[in-house]
Amino acid sequence: MGGLVITQTAEYCPEKIQLLFYVCAFLPTNEQNLLQILENDKKDIPPAVVISEDKTLLKLEKHLIKDTFYGECSENDSLEAEEKLCLQPLSPFITPARVTEHNFGSVPRVYIETLKDNAISTKCQREMHTKTPCRQVLTMDTDHSPFFSQPEVLFSHLKNLGS
């Protein structure tokens, strides 16, 4: 969900941001929400995600979390990350991004796509960074959590791009 947050932040204060890094993240277009992006990928919400009956909260199916988000991570990293997960309000997933070319569009972007991502497919990632072009696109042969599964490689990419 971090991609939505940085997208909207760049809209609100583009002058304070030098470069946005999207790491296998949602990159919404104007008036698009996160659930629409997943629907455009021609698949339902990832199987690990369950919407509450009253349609106000999202929770994750415990037995599907590792495969969906932490497939290549160590057991220790995966368990530590899972312990920090909690119920999420549905609102951020269904509220559309509101961005303009003048603000958000003026901030340079880099996208790091992941080839073994079971949360956001590589196809979906590529559609997003094609619709909203980025200065550079890098590819990592990893899962949805390269900050755990390949931290040295991710750090190297970020360090090289940020300088």
Side-chain angles (χ1 to χ4, degrees):
M1 207 169 82
L4 174 66
V5 173
I6 66 172
T7 296
Q8 202 63 67
T9 301
E11 175 64 23
Y12 295 145
C13 52
E15 71 285 351
K16 295 183 178 185
I17 302 170
Q18 292 180 333
L19 182 63
L20 292 173
F21 293 99
Y22 290 84
V23 180
C24 55
F26 289 112
L27 177 52
T29 58
N30 187 44
E31 296 296 326
Q32 188 178 43
N33 71 43
L34 303 188
L35 291 184
Q36 288 170 327
I37 293 172
L38 291 173
E39 289 169 4
N40 288 343
D41 194 23
K42 295 182 179 54
K43 67 178 181 179
D44 293 328
I45 299 167
V49 177
V50 177
I51 298 175
S52 65
E53 282 187 37
D54 66 359
K55 308 256 189 267
T56 61
L57 297 171
L58 290 178
K59 74 173 192 172
L60 298 173
E61 290 288 350
K62 189 154 184 67
H63 67 284
L64 297 174
I65 292 172
K66 178 159 178 36
D67 184 53
T68 302
F69 300 103
Y70 310 113
E72 295 193 322
C73 300
S74 72
E75 200 62 36
N76 187 48
D77 285 342
S78 176
L79 288 173
E80 279 190 46
E82 286 180 43
E83 288 175 8
K84 293 175 175 58
L85 298 175
C86 59
L87 291 174
Q88 295 278 323
L90 181 61
S91 180
F93 290 85
I94 60 174
T95 301
R98 301 216 191 309
V99 295
T100 62
E101 189 59 34
H102 182 264
N103 288 347
F104 168 70
S106 70
V107 179
R109 298 170 291 276
V110 171
Y111 199 98
I112 299 177
E113 63 182 23
T114 51
L115 298 178
K116 297 176 183 171
D117 196 325
N118 291 326
I120 306 172
S121 75
T122 305
K123 175 182 176 253
C124 183
Q125 292 176 64
R126 289 178 176 165
E127 287 174 3
M128 289 185 291
H129 66 66
T130 299
K131 287 181 185 172
T132 305
C134 297
R135 171 192 288 175
Q136 189 171 1
V137 175
L138 300 169
T139 301
M140 291 183 66
D141 189 25
T142 187
D143 60 16
H144 187 69
S145 301
F147 37 86
F148 289 133
S149 57
Q150 293 186 19
E152 295 85 6
V153 176
L154 178 60
F155 174 75
S156 177
H157 286 315
L158 297 176
K159 181 180 173 192
N160 292 336
L161 292 167
S163 46

